[in-house]
Amino acid sequence: MSILAYAVLIIYSTALIYITMYCVMQFNLLYHYRKAAKKQPLQAAELNAVYDAAENEKNYPFVTIQLPIFNEMYVVERLIDNIAEFDYPSDRFEVHVLDDSTDESVEITRKKVEEWKAKGLNIEQIRRVDRKGYKAGALQEGMKHAKGEFIAIFDADFLPHADFLKKTIPYFEDPKVGVVQTRWEHINEEYSLITKFQAIQLNVHFTVEQKGREAGNYLLQFNGTAGVWRRQTIDDAGGWEADTLTEDLDLSIRAQLKGWRIRFIEEIGAPAELPAEMNSLKSQQFRWMKGGAETAKKMLPTVWKSDLSMWQKIQATVHLLSSTVFVFVFISGVFSVPLLFVLGDLIEDGFSKNFFAWFMVGFLAIVAVYYTANLQSPARKQTEEFSKSLYKFIFLFPLFLALSMGLSLHNSVAVIQGYRGKKSPFVRTPKFNIQTIKDTFSKHKYMSKKVSWTTLLEGFLALYFLGGVIGGIMIQNTTFLVFHVMLFLGYGGIFFYTLRHIRAQ
């Protein structure tokens, strides 16, 4: 029994050590983010100078705007209407709708393109005979038709502001800048708990993570949309490749290893629609997690052979392996239940459960990161009062952590498939034009109709951790009580919303 008890303890502790190290590395990004914030007046002056240059510039560079879409009947019209309202000189940009659709979206797009073409907009609907390479294939094919010196890319769910190009293009005055990435905003953040939780996570990435990496001189990434590429950079880095599900991260790393710089502009926001139902969120998470693992497997050897400094290589490794943290969250959760029942034997052998207190360092670090991103970043300060934001954070953050834990099984499967090299199609995240609380996705097309084995296992795990809660109370050991309650709520919530949204069809 003692050997088994120590085996469980070692597995659980190893998972906690990995999670803690990840959290500490996140705190390092927070350090650089806060350090950069002290230079905010200087950054604001730079920003104003860039905007003034845009207003005074007479010879605007030519830009190709690419809109890769696949079966987006609910949002494609609003997307094209939005892009058509750009205040960039109309003779200095073209719009290419890279349409791989197989349903009525094709005709909806055709009519909308013809409508704007009749109004004088330089716009084309570009079709392919197949979806080879999925989004990466569409973007690479689109390069054959693009005339622009710069390539702006927007997914179907984005509604960029009219001055987007005027604000981003001037940053390319620096010849080393190959990409300008902007911050994602959320047009339907208040729609439901699911959208609120996503906003909490994305706000971290588009503040502390991206700006922290830039300020620390680490590798960062283009996020697939709401950004602009210098065409020369794409060509120099080898173009879009479809051997991973995160072609954006892949090309970002290759471009930076070629010496190009990515600028992340936190001050420029690009509104977008968050997935409003659980199955859409899951498909997005699966693609991001699996693609991240595929890109890590592909690019890490190249990163370590590069001329980057040792610390840059370490940071790039943590970045590329970030999806792997879900595997260790899953492992720590599963092994915490048997550990609960053998902890008494370990204590009799001299083990002190105070050992677990050391891992609070990681928890406190991640609280600081999320607090800063969701309450103290410039964008959040502008949207609502601090007292209201603080109240929401205190209420939502524990639930957000629970939901993240509940997604760990689903995301772990994606990560493991990515490292094993198991190929799967690019499953795009369906959007339903959900902007206000009055909108609904019920009875819409593109909704998932299948209950997967992972969903059934999520339901089982909810009961498993409920058993951990009850068992801990019965043996009067509350060491893991809060942890098990959160895991029960997380897996139970994921299971409940998955089935509920399948039945909403």
Side-chain angles (χ1 to χ4, degrees):
M1 180 64 181
S2 180
I3 295 177
L4 178 61
Y6 274 100
V8 172
L9 175 63
I10 289 171
I11 294 173
Y12 176 76
S13 299
T14 300
L16 278 190
I17 290 170
Y18 186 95
I19 295 168
T20 301
M21 290 176 61
Y22 172 80
C23 293
V24 170
M25 294 300 281
Q26 290 289 95
F27 191 80
N28 176 259
L29 297 181
L30 175 61
Y31 165 77
H32 286 290
Y33 178 79
R34 295 299 297 265
K35 187 176 180 181
K38 295 179 180 180
K39 301 178 182 179
Q40 198 64 36
L42 180 62
Q43 293 173 345
E46 176 199 20
L47 197 64
N48 291 331
V50 167
Y51 294 169
D52 290 342
E55 290 297 325
N56 297 327
E57 180 61 61
K58 296 181 179 179
N59 298 315
Y60 289 87
F62 196 83
V63 180
T64 297
I65 300 174
Q66 293 180 333
L67 311 176
I69 67 168
F70 174 70
N71 294 352
E72 298 287 3
M73 61 181 294
Y74 299 111
V75 296
V76 66
E77 290 180 296
R78 77 174 190 188
L79 168 68
I80 296 174
D81 286 341
N82 180 266
I83 298 299
E85 296 298 331
F86 272 12
D87 62 5
Y88 203 71
S90 59
D91 63 337
R92 302 307 299 160
F93 75 96
E94 62 183 356
V95 181
H96 288 170
V97 184
L98 309 180
D99 186 7
D100 283 353
S101 300
T102 57
D103 65 358
E104 52 263 60
S105 302
V106 177
E107 184 61 17
I108 294 172
T109 301
R110 186 193 67 79
K111 290 181 179 179
K112 181 57 66 172
V113 167
E114 291 301 320
E115 174 189 330
W116 278 105
K117 187 180 292 187
K119 295 178 181 179
L121 183 67
N122 187 355
I123 184 171
E124 297 290 341
Q125 179 185 23
I126 297 175
R127 302 267 300 152
R128 297 192 295 164
V129 295
D130 59 43
R131 286 189 73 206
K132 182 179 180 181
Y134 305 106
K135 181 180 177 181
L139 291 170
Q140 189 64 18
E141 177 68 21
M143 294 293 288
K144 299 176 183 179
H145 306 274
K147 300 176 183 177
E149 179 185 353
F150 300 99
I151 310 292
I153 302 172
F154 300 99
D155 285 347
D157 50 313
F158 275 74
L159 296 172
H161 300 294
D163 59 358
F164 183 90
L165 292 181
K166 281 189 175 181
K167 285 188 173 182
T168 53
I169 294 298
Y171 284 96
F172 291 100
E173 287 293 316
D174 182 345
K176 294 182 179 180
V177 171
V179 186
V180 173
Q181 173 66 55
T182 64
R183 175 178 49 81
W184 293 6
E185 295 177 341
H186 323 297
I187 60 178
N188 60 334
E189 177 179 345
E190 299 299 324
Y191 182 76
S192 67
L193 280 177
I194 292 176
T195 55
K196 290 176 182 177
F197 292 156
Q198 291 174 76
I200 289 174
Q201 172 62 59
L202 289 171
N203 289 342
V204 170
H205 179 70
F206 287 99
T207 54
V208 173
E209 290 185 349
Q210 286 282 60
K211 200 67 180 180
R213 290 190 180 108
E214 184 179 39
N217 195 29
Y218 309 143
L219 301 188
L220 55 157
Q221 71 182 90
F222 168 66
N223 295 104
T225 178
V228 185
W229 282 82
R230 189 189 298 272
R231 180 176 186 142
Q232 182 186 354
T233 304
I234 298 176
D235 294 336
D236 186 41
W240 298 102
E241 296 180 358
D243 53 351
T244 76
L245 292 178
T246 47
E247 73 292 324
D248 45 6
L249 176 60
D250 172 32
L251 185 57
S252 298
I253 300 299
R254 286 187 279 123
Q256 288 170 104
L257 292 180
K258 282 283 189 176
W260 294 100
R261 183 184 178 194
I262 296 180
R263 287 296 311 268
F264 173 67
I265 313 302
E266 184 181 355
E267 295 82 0
I268 304 177
E273 178 183 335
L274 295 164
E277 59 97 19
M278 182 57 70
N279 295 286
S280 298
L281 172 60
K282 279 185 166 182
S283 69
Q284 185 184 72
Q285 287 286 307
F286 193 91
R287 188 175 71 251
W288 287 354
M289 298 302 113
K290 183 174 181 178
E294 290 173 334
T295 304
K297 182 179 179 181
K298 174 183 177 180
M299 294 305 304
L300 275 178
T302 306
V303 167
W304 280 93
K305 292 176 184 176
S306 72
D307 295 330
L308 297 175
S309 69
M310 179 58 68
W311 189 240
Q312 286 176 316
K313 291 176 181 178
I314 292 172
Q315 283 287 347
T317 301
V318 173
H319 184 182
L320 288 169
L321 294 179
S322 60
S323 60
T324 311
V325 74
F326 283 101
V327 177
F328 289 92
V329 170
F330 174 72
I331 291 172
S332 66
V334 169
F335 279 86
S336 66
V337 174
L339 181 59
L340 172 70
F341 294 99
V342 300
L343 197 57
D345 293 339
L346 292 170
I347 292 174
E348 288 182 2
D349 285 349
F351 174 77
S352 173
K353 63 181 181 180
N354 292 331
F355 167 75
F356 298 129
W358 287 100
F359 298 108
M360 283 296 293
V361 172
F363 175 74
L364 294 175
I366 214 67
V367 169
V369 168
Y370 277 79
Y371 173 85
T372 300
N374 286 280
L375 278 81
Q376 295 191 323
S377 66
R380 302 307 291 181
K381 287 182 178 179
Q382 295 173 8
T383 55
E384 58 186 11
E385 296 179 359
F386 176 80
S387 58
K388 183 178 180 181
S389 296
L390 179 61
Y391 173 79
K392 287 171 58 178
F393 182 79
I394 293 172
F395 172 72
L396 291 175
F397 185 67
L399 295 177
F400 161 76
L401 286 181
L403 181 75
S404 298
M405 293 176 189
L407 279 170
S408 63
L409 167 65
H410 176 270
N411 289 351
S412 293
V413 172
V415 170
I416 292 169
Q417 285 189 10
Y419 287 123
R420 287 183 54 215
K422 181 178 180 180
K423 295 301 179 182
S424 58
F426 183 104
V427 180
R428 68 94 169 89
T429 307
K431 298 300 191 301
F432 305 105
N433 198 12
I434 303 294
Q435 300 190 48
T436 70
I437 196 66
K438 296 180 181 179
D439 297 322
T440 180
F441 49 79
S442 180
K443 308 301 180 183
H444 280 33
K445 285 183 62 176
Y446 311 141
M447 293 277 287
S448 174
K449 301 178 182 179
K450 297 180 180 179
V451 179
S452 67
W453 68 267
T454 52
T455 296
L456 297 177
L457 189 50
E458 285 161 354
F460 169 78
L461 285 169
L463 297 177
Y464 176 73
F465 291 114
L466 178 60
V469 172
I470 296 172
I473 294 173
M474 290 181 64
I475 65 175
Q476 298 183 338
N477 186 344
T478 59
T479 303
F480 301 107
L481 182 62
V482 174
F483 187 40
H484 288 162
V485 167
M486 293 182 70
L487 285 164
F488 164 67
L489 292 175
Y491 280 106
I494 296 293
F495 177 73
F496 170 76
Y497 278 111
T498 300
L499 294 185
R500 179 183 178 184
H501 292 164
I502 288 176
R503 293 182 61 187
Q505 302 179 70

